[in-house]
Amino acid sequence: MVEAVDSRFPFPFEPYTIQKEFMEALYRTLEDSKIGIFESPTGTGKSLSLICGALTWLQDFEERKKQEAARLLENRADTVAEHPAEKKLTPGQDGSSSSEPDWITAFVQKKAERDLVDKLKVASHESQYQSRNALAVRGQSDWWIRSDEDEEARQLLELSKECAEEEQGAGLEDGEEELLVAEYESDDDTKPKNRWVSSPDIPCIQIYYCSRTHSQLAQFVHEVQKSPFAENISLVSLGSRQNLCINEEVRRLGSVQLINDRCMEMQKNKHEKSSGGEPKRRRSKPKAVCPFYRHEALQGLRDEALVKVRDIEQLVALGHETKGCPYYGGRLAVPAAQLVVLPYQTLLHEATRRASGIRLKDQVVIIDEAHNLTDTITCIHSSEVTGAQLCCAHSQLSQYVGRYRNRLKAKNLMYLKQILFVVEGLVRVLGGGKNIPQGHNFFLFAGTEMLTINNFLFKAQIDNINLFKIQRYFEKSLIKDSVICSRFFLSSLVVPTPDQKVADEEKQISMASPMMQVEGFLFALTNANKDGRLVIQRHGTLAQCSLKFLLLNPAVHFAPVLKECRAVIIAGGTMQPVSAGFALDLSERTLLSGHVIPPENILPIVLCNGPSGQELEFTFQNRETPQMMDEMGRVLANLMNVVPGGVVCFFPSYEYERRALAHWESTGILARLAAKKKIFQEPKKASQVEQVLTEYSRCIQNCRQVGGALSGALLFSVVGGKMSEGINFSDDLGRCVVMVGMPYPNIKSPELQEKMAYLDKHMPQVGRQSPGKALVENLCMKAVNQSIGRAIRHRGDYASILLLDRRYSRPTTLHKLPEWIRRSTRVQPTFGPAFASIRKVSLPSWPAAKLLTPRPSESSVSTFSFLFPKCRY
């Protein structure tokens, strides 16, 4: 364990001033139960600052609770000694009056004493919950916490089994009796017959840390392991089945959706097997169950996971060792963990959050890499279903109802018919006829139509259906799982035909569980009318058409998180412009940290004119003119002569990149560039990104060591592409970043137009701009900030940033750059002074680059930078 340098915030080394400010502001935000927006650039130790600041507050908070409990116990002992239980309260105390009878006064006295005892019990329970010894004792007990939904699901499965055994025969094959959904009663009709007891409230404070990807979560856990808190914190990592499953039979399926379906199916088989009782008849083939989904193994994995800090890979290794499922074992460990590490989707989606056993009441949530938080919430709660999926779902459900009609209870049959009616309405909207499964009819018209939710329901003629009841039925009846399992008994689906080999693998995966897609789309239709829009896309055949729900107001789904939590921390490396887009009254504390690099290590320049005096304004109307593309080529050719190592050039789109390179090839500019630096292009396939980056890095390394005509490499990339986020161009990999134009989104997009109209109607004006125009500007600058931040990655790094467009010189636009970049930005009207500045800082004798070296913990992490040592001049 590393000794702490700072007395208040344990740190493995002396923290920077900005790190101390970050931790102080974080501590105050948690203490004051606020919402904090924190920006700390990559390379400034943001993760370690979050860990030390948050866990220091957690330790202090728990210590204060223990001291409070001790005082209560001491005061209670003094009260009992000085005031016997027989002694009555003075008249008027605790709301009683002198005219009240003695028995009422005694009742109030005893109630006050009971309340005090209950408070003491909670405090004592909290202290016990944090004890390592208590955890070991609980490991031997039969402690088994389930969510309410899991218990109700198991109840329905058992009832389904009983109903099937009561009515034997009826022409069903072996194993089909389990496919019948249980008798269902909605909440409006009657109360449940059996009340399943929910798990007790979590008595301890918890911190939920979430980020975008599993690799980012693993990196955060590694920082916790290296921190002074590693030995004293109980941490559990949550993830998807695809990352945590250790059943090779299931893992081989590859697709997330197929893995989820198979896991749920095996769970259902497990519950049926353990429901008790001998089967009425022998089955010809036993159903497969997961050998890792066992009570004892899950308990053992849960207890071991809490003893030591583990990341996802280490949790999987523990699962192999204990023969317990890491996915469900990790969920069981959530109530006892102080720090829960999980992906965005698990926290931000209410149903997933509920299923994972996550309770946010009075807890702390830290959302890292939150620059695209609104986009993430919008994506999670938007939904799309294709005509092929609708036809397939209708075919499956129709055959299910037809086969088991005589065995289904009246309430089940009613809801299933309603679902079929809704699906038929959705197909009609796409232009399908009465013969729904025939999804190959060509249309005489095509196009895109945008509707409000209410207008869409009227158009589909399903406005008389209570979608909230259908949503409840989907959640409680497990009809989706029953239809998935019944595929083995039903006839082949019409779309696609069994004899037809589908070349597109993604299409096969999307057709694996169409009921799941339909369920998600119907859930989306329960949003408020003003918060969403329906996009109807008709083209080609019915199978190729689609319905898409577009969420316009992500605040409606983020509001419950803000309401329940004690404090919410929204952090990221690039949070500028700070405009979350939430129509919420937030009591927030914003901290925009600077960078650890000296100001002279970065040279941001706004270039208004090129070498020949051509004004640089890459608007959509003039950016493809030969004059503009020639001037851009001259700028790059001059940079290649003076900038060593790697240069990364970002284009606003793939199409413009293609046109510019084609023009340069015809004019000879591309050959001039290739004579100085080897040219690389960002691939469109994600699987090729690592290979291109490795070759790019190797080329720069060889040029430095061997020398020759080439001085490095030039990488053409695209804003919003695969290399504009999450890639570290540190040191020689990115000595200069060039941003061509301003990458505004497509203003003619129907989705963007609807978002702009929504903001203009429901949000106040931003300065002199309408909220819709401010959204477009913010989307552009967020993309720019993400791209130009790829270069500076640690304390000793240095780079120049060239913004090729005079529009960046506008004060409102400059203000939306990150503070640590904006403070050093120079606006150069002409090319000469800009070129001289870049040439000066690019010389090998630049002193700042040699004097400052990164700490070991600040070294950049990427998929390729570890292959070669850091290059230094």
Side-chain angles (χ1 to χ4, degrees):
M1 178 177 174
V2 183
E3 291 188 6
V5 176
D6 190 276
S7 58
R8 183 177 185 185
F9 298 104
F11 225 70
F13 47 80
E14 180 64 32
Y16 300 127
T17 301
I18 63 172
Q19 290 175 323
K20 293 179 181 179
E21 294 173 352
F22 186 102
M23 291 185 289
E24 287 285 353
L26 175 61
Y27 191 101
R28 291 195 303 270
T29 303
L30 298 179
E31 186 68 18
D32 298 340
S33 302
K34 298 286 187 178
I35 299 169
I37 300 178
F38 292 78
E39 179 184 77
S40 183
T42 302
T44 58
K46 171 170 59 71
S47 297
L48 200 54
S49 299
L50 283 171
I51 292 168
C52 294
L55 295 185
T56 298
W57 173 85
L58 181 62
Q59 285 187 347
D60 293 349
F61 179 84
E62 292 175 349
E63 183 62 29
R64 289 196 302 268
K65 297 294 288 184
K66 291 178 182 178
Q67 294 175 0
E68 181 184 355
R71 286 195 302 269
L72 288 173
L73 289 171
E74 184 178 355
N75 294 338
R76 170 59 179 161
D78 295 341
T79 302
V80 172
E82 296 177 6
H83 305 284
E86 295 82 5
K87 187 174 182 179
K88 304 292 188 295
L89 290 172
T90 59
Q93 187 176 359
D94 288 341
S96 62
S97 64
S98 58
S99 60
E100 292 178 341
D102 292 344
W103 66 271
I104 294 181
T105 305
F107 173 78
V108 174
Q109 169 78 30
K110 292 181 179 180
K111 184 178 185 303
E113 293 179 357
R114 286 197 303 270
D115 292 342
L116 180 60
V117 171
D118 291 341
K119 190 173 182 180
L120 292 173
K121 287 181 179 179
V122 171
S124 177
H125 191 189
E126 179 176 326
S127 177
Q128 179 188 14
Y129 217 77
Q130 301 300 329
S131 172
R132 294 282 182 177
N133 295 331
L135 178 63
V137 173
R138 288 198 308 273
Q140 305 299 326
S141 65
D142 290 331
W143 182 58
W144 182 265
I145 293 183
R146 289 178 177 269
S147 64
D148 296 338
E149 289 72 19
D150 290 340
E151 295 294 347
E152 290 189 49
R154 191 164 71 89
Q155 175 195 11
L156 289 170
L157 285 170
E158 291 180 353
L159 291 175
S160 176
K161 176 73 174 179
E162 294 172 2
C163 294
E165 291 179 350
E166 288 176 1
E167 302 180 15
Q168 302 179 26
L172 298 184
E173 300 179 16
D174 291 342
E176 282 194 85
E177 61 272 9
E178 290 85 0
L179 301 179
L180 299 176
V181 291
E183 184 175 0
Y184 177 78
E185 294 178 345
S186 65
D187 293 340
D188 296 339
D189 297 333
T190 182
K191 294 183 179 180
K193 296 180 180 179
N194 297 322
R195 303 284 295 183
W196 290 85
V197 180
S198 61
S199 57
D201 290 336
I202 302 172
C204 62
I205 193 77
Q206 291 180 297
I207 296 178
Y208 290 93
Y209 173 90
C210 64
S211 190
R212 291 189 309 111
T213 64
H214 286 89
S215 60
Q216 291 171 340
L217 295 175
Q219 185 177 348
F220 177 82
V221 174
H222 295 161
E223 292 292 334
V224 176
Q225 292 172 336
K226 294 185 293 184
S227 74
F229 299 91
E231 300 297 327
N232 302 317
I233 192 74
S234 56
L235 179 149
V236 63
S237 298
L238 301 183
S240 64
R241 288 182 175 91
Q242 188 180 36
N243 291 93
L244 289 172
C245 180
I246 59 176
N247 189 329
E248 291 301 326
E249 175 190 345
V250 180
R251 286 178 57 85
R252 282 197 298 266
L253 297 175
S255 163
V256 176
Q257 185 171 326
L258 293 176
I259 290 175
N260 290 341
D261 289 348
R262 183 57 175 162
C263 178
M264 294 167 64
E265 180 183 341
M266 297 177 84
Q267 274 190 73
K268 183 175 180 180
N269 297 340
K270 176 73 174 180
H271 286 307
E272 292 165 355
K273 183 177 180 180
S274 60
S275 60
E278 292 293 331
K280 298 295 182 179
R281 54 192 176 199
R282 298 180 62 183
R283 297 173 181 168
S284 58
K285 183 179 180 181
K287 289 192 173 184
V289 297
C290 182
F292 303 102
Y293 189 73
R294 296 180 297 106
H295 175 69
E296 296 80 5
L298 293 178
Q299 280 191 318
L301 185 142
R302 176 203 66 199
D303 297 336
E304 289 292 334
L306 292 170
V307 172
K308 180 181 177 182
V309 175
R310 291 179 170 87
D311 63 9
I312 290 290
E313 294 181 357
Q314 293 166 338
L315 190 61
V316 169
L318 180 63
H320 285 290
E321 180 182 341
T322 60
K323 305 300 181 184
C325 175
Y327 180 78
Y328 288 101
R331 287 188 175 191
L332 288 177
V334 168
Q338 294 170 288
L339 179 58
V340 181
V341 180
L342 67 166
Y344 271 175
Q345 292 79 358
T346 306
L347 181 87
L348 298 176
H349 192 264
E350 183 180 2
T352 307
R353 188 166 68 236
R354 213 167 46 233
S356 301
I358 296 172
R359 299 187 175 188
L360 299 181
K361 182 65 175 177
D362 297 329
Q363 308 295 5
V364 173
V365 166
I366 299 176
I367 303 176
D368 201 0
E369 301 297 333
H371 55 272
N372 56 358
L373 178 61
T374 55
D375 295 336
T376 301
I377 298 175
T378 300
C379 181
I380 291 175
H381 295 91
S382 296
S383 180
E384 185 174 10
V385 62
T386 65
Q389 290 170 337
L390 289 172
C391 294
C392 189
H394 188 277
S395 175
Q396 288 183 354
L397 195 56
S398 297
Q399 294 180 66
Y400 180 87
V401 172
R403 185 172 183 84
Y404 306 117
R405 177 185 298 273
N406 297 330
R407 303 292 304 277
L408 295 171
K409 300 296 181 179
K411 186 70 69 173
N412 278 318
L413 196 58
M414 181 192 74
Y415 277 108
L416 293 177
K417 287 184 176 180
Q418 285 186 1
I419 296 173
L420 282 173
F421 179 79
V422 170
V423 174
E424 291 169 3
L426 300 181
V427 174
R428 281 197 302 270
V429 170
L430 291 177
K434 295 182 178 180
N435 193 7
I436 288 180
Q438 297 298 330
H440 302 281
N441 298 322
F442 283 87
F443 296 109
L444 298 178
F445 61 92
T448 301
E449 185 178 2
M450 184 85 67
L451 297 173
T452 64
I453 297 178
N454 288 344
N455 289 340
F456 176 82
L457 296 178
F458 287 130
K459 187 179 184 68
Q461 300 177 11
I462 56 175
D463 54 291
N464 60 331
I465 300 297
N466 190 332
L467 295 178
F468 293 95
K469 282 192 173 184
I470 289 183
Q471 177 182 4
R472 177 76 175 174
Y473 180 75
F474 264 112
E475 292 176 345
K476 298 302 179 183
S477 69
L478 302 180
I479 178 59
K480 174 184 61 180
D481 301 334
S482 298
V483 172
I484 291 174
C485 298
S486 67
R487 287 178 299 172
F488 300 103
F489 295 94
L490 302 179
S491 61
S492 301
L493 302 176
V494 179
V495 182
T497 57
D499 297 333
Q500 177 185 7
K501 287 189 176 182
V502 183
D504 191 355
E505 183 178 351
E506 293 183 358
K507 183 176 180 181
Q508 291 179 334
I509 294 173
S510 66
M511 300 304 295
S513 181
M515 284 297 298
M516 184 180 297
Q517 300 297 123
V518 172
E519 177 187 4
F521 185 77
L522 295 184
F523 285 8
L525 294 180
T526 60
N527 281 273
N529 182 59
K530 65 182 180 64
D531 292 334
R533 294 292 183 270
L534 274 301
V535 183
I536 306 174
Q537 294 180 334
R538 304 184 183 94
H539 53 83
T541 65
L542 173 60
Q544 296 172 329
C545 296
S546 65
L547 300 172
K548 181 179 180 180
F549 172 79
L550 176 66
L551 181 68
L552 298 179
N553 182 21
V556 70
H557 293 286
F558 194 60
V561 177
L562 299 177
K563 183 179 180 180
E564 292 183 30
C565 293
R566 171 192 175 94
V568 177
I569 305 299
I570 302 173
T574 307
M575 298 301 295
Q576 284 282 78
V578 181
S579 176
F582 294 144
L584 297 174
D585 182 17
L586 303 182
S587 176
E588 64 185 34
R589 175 180 283 118
T590 302
L591 174 68
L592 303 177
S593 298
H595 211 293
V596 294
I597 64 169
E600 60 268 20
N601 277 34
I602 182 173
L603 179 63
I605 294 177
V606 177
L607 187 59
C608 300
N609 293 277
S612 66
Q614 170 73 41
E615 184 180 62
L616 299 177
E617 186 173 1
F618 292 86
T619 61
F620 186 78
Q621 291 75 17
N622 65 1
R623 69 183 185 183
E624 294 185 10
T625 61
Q627 297 84 358
M628 190 64 67
M629 287 192 285
D630 286 341
E631 196 73 358
M632 176 175 50
R634 295 187 191 101
V635 172
L636 290 177
N638 280 278
L639 290 178
M640 298 308 104
N641 291 327
V642 297
V643 177
V647 176
V648 183
C649 179
F650 286 99
F651 288 92
S653 67
Y654 285 104
E655 178 61 21
Y656 187 59
E657 177 193 25
R658 185 188 66 80
R659 290 178 181 271
L661 294 182
H663 177 78
W664 291 343
E665 186 175 10
S666 63
T667 58
I669 295 179
L670 195 63
R672 290 175 56 190
L673 297 177
K676 289 293 183 180
K677 294 186 183 291
K678 185 174 181 180
I679 296 177
F680 294 86
Q681 279 185 261
E682 175 184 321
K684 292 188 177 181
K685 292 184 178 179
S687 58
Q688 300 174 351
V689 171
E690 185 168 351
Q691 178 184 355
V692 172
L693 290 175
T694 302
E695 295 176 358
Y696 172 76
S697 178
R698 182 180 292 114
C699 174
I700 294 173
Q701 178 73 4
N702 293 339
C703 290
R704 181 181 184 276
Q705 293 178 348
V706 179
L710 295 179
S711 62
L714 171 61
L715 175 62
F716 291 123
S717 187
V718 175
V719 177
K722 302 169 183 62
M723 296 184 181
S724 63
E725 184 176 344
I727 302 297
N728 297 341
F729 294 108
S730 61
D731 299 319
D732 277 357
L733 298 180
R735 289 303 179 200
C736 181
V737 175
V738 180
M739 176 64 60
V740 178
M742 298 187 69
Y744 284 106
N746 182 11
I747 196 67
K748 295 183 180 180
S749 166
E751 290 87 347
L752 182 57
Q753 289 181 350
E754 286 295 329
K755 288 184 179 180
M756 294 173 62
Y758 177 87
L759 292 176
D760 289 340
K761 184 177 181 181
H762 296 93
M763 296 286 286
Q765 191 166 351
V766 183
R768 296 182 178 180
Q769 278 186 324
S770 66
K773 291 183 178 179
L775 170 67
V776 175
E777 185 86 10
N778 290 343
L779 291 175
C780 170
M781 292 307 298
K782 274 186 176 291
V784 169
N785 294 340
Q786 277 295 310
S787 299
I788 64 179
R790 298 302 92 205
I792 304 293
R793 311 306 288 180
H794 59 77
R795 185 172 66 116
D797 209 350
Y798 66 94
S800 56
I801 299 172
L802 197 58
L803 304 176
L804 296 186
D805 201 303
R806 71 168 188 85
R807 291 175 292 176
Y808 284 108
S809 62
R810 296 177 301 195
T812 55
T813 304
L814 280 175
H815 185 70
K816 293 180 179 180
L817 290 171
E819 190 274 336
W820 62 278
I821 294 179
R822 183 174 67 249
R823 68 187 181 189
S824 302
T825 301
R826 307 177 187 177
V827 177
Q828 297 288 4
T830 58
F831 181 75
F835 180 75
S837 300
I838 295 175
R839 182 178 182 181
K840 180 179 179 181
V841 301
S842 298
L843 293 176
S845 59
W846 192 16
K850 286 192 172 183
L851 293 176
L852 298 176
T853 56
R855 293 170 175 167
S857 62
E858 296 172 342
S859 58
S860 60
V861 179
S862 68
T863 57
F864 64 98
S865 58
F866 68 94
L867 296 175
F868 304 98
K870 302 299 180 185
C871 304
R872 294 227 159 267
Y873 284 90

